[in-house]
Amino acid sequence: MTNNRRVLIVDDEEGFLLLIREALEIRGFEVVTASSAVEAGMEMASKKPDAILMDIRMPGINGIQACEAIKKNPATKDIPIMIVSALSGEADIKRAYRTGVVDYFVKPINIEKVVIKLRDVLGIV
Amino acid sequence: MITKSDPATIKSYLEDSSNLCGGHADKVIIPENAAELSSILAECTAKKTPVTISGGGTTTTGSRIPFGGIVISTEKFNRIINVDKRALSCVVEAGVTVDDLQSACGKEGLFYTTHPTERNAFLGGTIATNASGSRSYRYGSTRRAVKRLKMVFATGEILELRRGERTLTGRELSFVLPGGRRIKADLPGYNMPDVKNAAGYFVKDDMDLIDLFIGQEGTLSVITEAELGVEPKPSEIRSCFAFFMDEESSWAFAGDLKKKKDWKVLSVEYFSENALRLLRADNPNVPAAARGAIFFEEEGERGQRYSAADRWLELIETRGGSVDDTWVAMNEKEAERFTSFRYAIPEAVNEIVKQSGFRKFSTDIAVPGDNFPEMMRFYKNTFREDGMRNVLFGHIGENHVHANALPASKPELERAESICLKFVKKGVLLGGTVSAEHGIGKIKHAYLKTMYGDNGISGMVRVKKVFDPGCILGLDNIFPKELLH
């Protein structure tokens, strides 16, 4: 059963996108995917996601730069962003939080923990 | 001490039940006691000679296959030192087989609960891999049985460690070995999944130190002796094969069984449609319409046989099974025919592999119960979309089913590898483990990295270097040896 909430996942690893898309869809979310920050920008304009899961290391604009751009734009600044990255250094995590993200998950992630946080920030009971 | 170096004589020490080829070693040394083993290891550390420990050779992960250096076999550590009926424990050396211990226990009215499929496994190997089997559903894996270990480190120190004797504070490892060497390290920071697990080092806040050495796959020390817990032998073990008309009904029935907390269920095993198709070739009485089956065992008292069968059948019928399609064995003798029937699956799979000339890819993933149906559907859908021949069977009671991809051509072989990696990633995403019972050995490094990431692996390397400063023991087991430099 769908919960009418749309999540944008931004990651350049196709296998990860497919897996997390399926796992979130099974749990009732509508999922939009993008494999780069530029593609994410286009999807945001047309699909208006309720939350974003963002990787950091991507070709071109990285996830941190993408988060900064989203938070600067009045139209998108209130969309909650969670980082999902293999980077686990304290500096990376602090840098991400300074952009205003709501949580940081180090890969490999456990989908249940991500879903709990998504439901929490989106107010899904 | 015996030393063998003739290539024909040592050939059998260079292989195991994995399909890993190319094993080679300069010689095989067979020590007779811990003191001999200690001096061999100290010398190997001084000379930086790699050492691979050889048990019964039943592992499926290549962990006992050497790629250089020497092999040390534990086959002379073969004494059952003591079976204590009152204390419900036994003391064994590492080279005693599971079968031998089971026989010795049986004579005393006792029973060793760990029940790996391969009965010729050495107990030392089962401890080093934290082996389990179908009955770990009720009794847990080998870890639960281990009360005390005696082991020798690569530097020659000998340590006896009893459960409860040394507990860590948080993840800080700090103690002094009998020879005076201080061991100090931080354990890796990963959180182990809350499922049956044999992947990587066991680490947990405030853990018992003994647990670090159970499941270490011969990378930290050589286990020479163990005290193991045993149980009084159940008066009867009954078993049942229940066949269902669709696979999801069989999964649901396994779930029903797991909810029956007052039933003393020992094991719950699953057979997919493809597994039944394989079995039908030699067993025409497998119901023609069956698309899934569950085998289970229950411990019980004599005189309650028929009420037990009534209970079972009532539950089986709620999921669409029928009395006609249910096989029941009321004692161990009757159950023997089930045993050969169950073991026919891996044999049939191996036969397919032999005929095709291509290796199989088999997963060992377990996931939390809530996510198990999702994992099963993922297996089924992925195989269906690809069209590859496959067989699913295994320990459904612990949400742990082996998915076997059986490629029949070179392109399929390549796809099988990526399919298994897909399964591994999905299992990890669902909060599971990449290896529930076989361990990592030399063939699942990439899977372990998917589970614990680079940080987790480097944390394990750090721990290994503390115990084995010359980096000689069990090289390439659990993580690539290149990471040790």
Side-chain angles (χ1 to χ4, degrees), chain A residues 10-58:
Chain A
V10 192
D11 201 304
D12 62 330
E13 192 193 331
E14 194 194 353
F16 179 77
L17 279 182
L18 287 173
L19 280 177
I20 199 162
R21 167 195 276 277
E22 189 200 64
L24 287 180
E25 283 175 351
I26 287 170
R27 286 161 181 79
F29 293 91
E30 187 186 326
V31 174
V32 180
T33 60
S35 55
S36 69
V38 174
E39 204 183 311
M42 294 188 304
E43 292 292 2
M44 286 209 335
S46 60
K47 305 276 173 55
K48 303 199 181 338
D50 297 298
I52 301 169
L53 298 183
M54 176 81 74
D55 186 18
I56 293 183
R57 261 192 311 215
M58 290 184 290

Side-chain angles (χ1 to χ4, degrees), chain A residues 47-109:
Chain A
K47 305 276 173 55
K48 303 199 181 338
D50 297 298
I52 301 169
L53 298 183
M54 176 81 74
D55 186 18
I56 293 183
R57 261 192 311 215
M58 290 184 290
I61 300 167
N62 70 35
I64 298 290
Q65 293 165 320
C67 288
E68 286 166 349
I70 292 166
K71 290 296 170 191
K72 270 185 199 154
N73 182 343
T76 56
K77 68 179 175 50
D78 294 326
I79 301 174
I81 307 173
M82 293 174 217
I83 298 290
V84 177
S85 169
L87 300 176
S88 59
E90 205 177 318
D92 294 307
I93 296 172
K94 278 186 179 164
R95 206 151 53 98
Y97 274 113
R98 276 200 294 269
T99 68
V101 304
V102 294
D103 213 333
Y104 192 112
F105 294 94
V106 177
K107 288 180 185 173
I109 58 163

Side-chain angles (χ1 to χ4, degrees), chain B residues 355-407:
Chain B
Q355 280 175 12
S356 73
F358 295 98
R359 60 166 288 212
K360 70 169 181 180
F361 287 80
S362 178
T363 68
D364 187 29
I365 298 162
V367 297
D370 288 349
N371 291 335
F372 182 69
E374 185 177 341
M375 190 73 216
M376 288 296 276
R377 286 182 199 116
F378 190 74
Y379 287 141
K380 303 285 302 174
N381 293 340
T382 307
F383 278 135
R384 191 180 306 121
E385 280 163 21
D386 185 274
M388 185 167 313
R389 183 148 58 161
N390 66 86
V391 180
L392 298 176
F393 64 91
H395 320 300
I396 195 168
E398 293 170 290
N399 311 306
H400 170 213
V401 163
H402 300 294
N404 291 271
L406 303 171

Side-chain angles (χ1 to χ4, degrees), chain B residues 49-66:
Chain B
T49 306
V51 173
T52 302
I53 305 304
S54 170
T58 56
T59 179
T60 58
T61 64
S63 54
R64 86 145 191 176
I65 299 181

Side-chain angles (χ1 to χ4, degrees), chain B residues 133-428:
Chain B
S134 59
R135 288 181 186 161
S136 60
Y137 172 73
R138 179 166 178 82
Y139 297 112
S141 61
T142 301
R143 182 179 309 285
R144 200 161 123 186
V146 177
K147 295 180 168 188
R148 177 179 64 83
L149 288 180
K150 181 175 177 182
M151 54 198 161
V152 185
F153 291 97
T155 37
E157 294 119 326
I158 300 174
L159 177 69
E160 285 205 44
L161 194 56
R162 181 169 285 284
R163 186 171 288 286
E165 213 169 60
R166 288 177 198 265
T167 308
L168 275 65
T169 303
R171 300 214 174 192
E172 194 189 336
L173 187 63
S174 177
F175 71 101
V176 180
L177 284 170
R181 183 160 69 102
R182 173 164 281 282
I183 296 291
K184 202 166 168 46
D186 285 329
L187 294 182
Y190 54 74
N191 293 317
M192 295 185 301
D194 191 15
V195 295
K196 174 179 165 188
N197 183 24
Y201 295 160
F202 181 99
V203 294
K204 210 173 174 181
D205 288 352
D206 307 326
M207 64 184 270
D208 194 309
L209 179 59
I210 199 170
D211 282 321
L212 182 62
F213 300 101
I214 303 167
Q216 42 116 343
E217 301 192 34
T219 60
L220 299 179
S221 64
V222 184
I223 295 161
T224 59
E225 187 183 300
E227 184 178 335
L228 302 169
V230 292
E231 299 271 334
K233 197 170 181 205
S235 60
E236 259 182 14
I237 295 176
R238 307 161 188 142
S239 48
C240 176
F241 254 106
F243 295 91
F244 297 90
M245 297 309 117
D246 64 273
E247 290 185 309
E248 297 231 2
S249 295
S250 61
W251 308 346
F253 175 72
D256 296 340
L257 264 181
K258 287 161 70 176
K259 285 183 199 136
K260 297 287 179 190
K261 300 292 179 203
D262 52 334
W263 296 13
K264 290 183 178 171
V265 177
L266 304 184
S267 62
V268 187
E269 302 281 296
Y270 167 68
F271 299 86
S272 66
E273 181 178 2
N274 288 348
L276 294 181
R277 196 173 293 139
L278 282 180
L279 288 173
R280 239 177 241 121
D282 290 323
N283 299 274
N285 49 346
V286 172
R291 297 289 174 267
I294 297 293
F295 168 83
F296 62 95
E297 294 174 300
E298 189 191 30
E299 179 186 332
E301 300 298 326
R302 286 196 173 86
Q304 298 172 350
R305 293 176 178 179
Y306 294 101
S307 60
D310 283 347
R311 275 192 281 119
W312 296 351
L313 291 169
E314 199 178 313
L315 193 63
I316 290 164
E317 280 173 348
T318 62
R319 293 294 177 185
S322 75
V323 179
D324 293 343
D325 292 338
T326 302
W327 304 350
V328 171
M330 279 298 162
N331 54 48
E332 277 184 271
K333 205 170 164 98
E334 282 178 20
E336 274 169 22
R337 64 194 169 105
F338 288 177
T339 307
S340 56
F341 183 74
R342 286 166 62 210
Y343 292 163
I345 299 253
E347 282 165 18
V349 167
N350 290 339
E351 190 53 35
I352 290 174
V353 170
K354 218 161 95 184
Q355 280 175 12
S356 73
F358 295 98
R359 60 166 288 212
K360 70 169 181 180
F361 287 80
S362 178
T363 68
D364 187 29
I365 298 162
V367 297
D370 288 349
N371 291 335
F372 182 69
E374 185 177 341
M375 190 73 216
M376 288 296 276
R377 286 182 199 116
F378 190 74
Y379 287 141
K380 303 285 302 174
N381 293 340
T382 307
F383 278 135
R384 191 180 306 121
E385 280 163 21
D386 185 274
M388 185 167 313
R389 183 148 58 161
N390 66 86
V391 180
L392 298 176
F393 64 91
H395 320 300
I396 195 168
E398 293 170 290
N399 311 306
H400 170 213
V401 163
H402 300 294
N404 291 271
L406 303 171
S409 65
K410 208 163 171 215
E412 278 199 353
L413 187 75
E414 282 162 18
R415 294 208 313 273
E417 194 166 4
S418 77
I419 283 174
C420 283
L421 193 57
K422 236 188 235 181
F423 290 159
V424 160
K425 287 181 177 174
K426 178 77 175 183
V428 170

